Amino acid sequence: MITDDILGRILETVPETRPFLEEKYELGPGEALPTSDSLLDVYAILLDGLVRPVLQPALAAPVRDEDLLRRCFGFVEEIYAIDSELTRGAVYFQVLESLLDAREYLVNAIPFLQGNLREPVSKMLRTYAVEGYEDGLPPLQSRP
């Protein structure tokens, strides 16, 4: 379980975030990122390291990189599983609400919302009465 090494875990799971995190922390290429207390930066790490530069472009791509999207949402599920107000709030406000920024983000994210993010997304869609999702997410489709 991740506790304070959010940066280490995101780089391990989604290495595509490295250049954006190096920029956020004003580091040169390959310089070591902080390895402790990164939980305090979880809002910025999610938004500036994952959502804006990696996740949203991946969701908007004409051909989606399913492996990248699985890893992104897998990491987000890990953060959400920490079960603290800080991490759950960061996931909700930085990641889940960002799915509402463009219709294609939400539509393309749905197949990857298989775990513990599914219920909060359904609740968010009902709360905001998102057209076509007033009842939340559709039932999970079984994969062969």
Side-chain angles (χ1 to χ4, degrees):
M1 179 75 59
I2 303 172
T3 53
D4 67 344
D5 189 14
I6 300 285
L7 287 172
R9 188 64 187 136
I10 194 172
L11 291 173
E12 182 180 309
T13 309
V14 189
E16 294 85 348
T17 61
R18 177 172 276 287
F20 308 104
L21 293 169
E22 287 173 343
E23 182 179 320
K24 181 207 172 324
Y25 287 97
E26 299 177 353
L27 301 172
E31 279 189 65
L33 290 160
T35 57
S36 64
D37 297 327
S38 56
L39 184 59
L40 300 175
D41 288 339
V42 69
Y43 276 80
I45 291 168
L46 288 174
L47 188 63
D48 300 327
L50 179 69
V51 171
R52 287 182 181 153
V54 179
L55 183 60
Q56 286 181 335
L59 289 169
V63 176
R64 275 165 298 292
D65 181 338
E66 291 192 14
D67 176 60
L68 174 61
L69 289 168
R70 256 191 299 284
R71 289 184 287 115
C72 286
F73 283 107
F75 171 75
V76 173
E77 285 185 21
E78 282 186 62
I79 296 294
Y80 194 75
I82 292 174
D83 197 20
S84 76
E85 283 187 44
L86 175 67
T87 55
R88 292 213 166 181
V91 166
Y92 187 87
F93 293 112
Q94 304 301 65
V95 181
L96 303 184
E97 281 195 346
S98 78
L99 298 177
L100 301 178
D101 289 351
R103 184 75 172 188
E104 65 190 330
Y105 297 160
L106 175 61
V107 170
N108 293 333
I110 289 173
F112 301 96
L113 298 170
Q114 302 292 315
N116 61 8
L117 298 176
R118 196 162 181 83
E119 183 51 37
V121 170
S122 270
K123 184 176 181 180
M124 176 184 69
L125 296 172
R126 289 189 301 269
T127 300
Y128 292 125
V130 175
E131 185 180 335
Y133 297 97
E134 295 86 357
D135 295 326
L137 291 173
L140 284 171
Q141 301 295 317
S142 59
R143 291 190 170 193

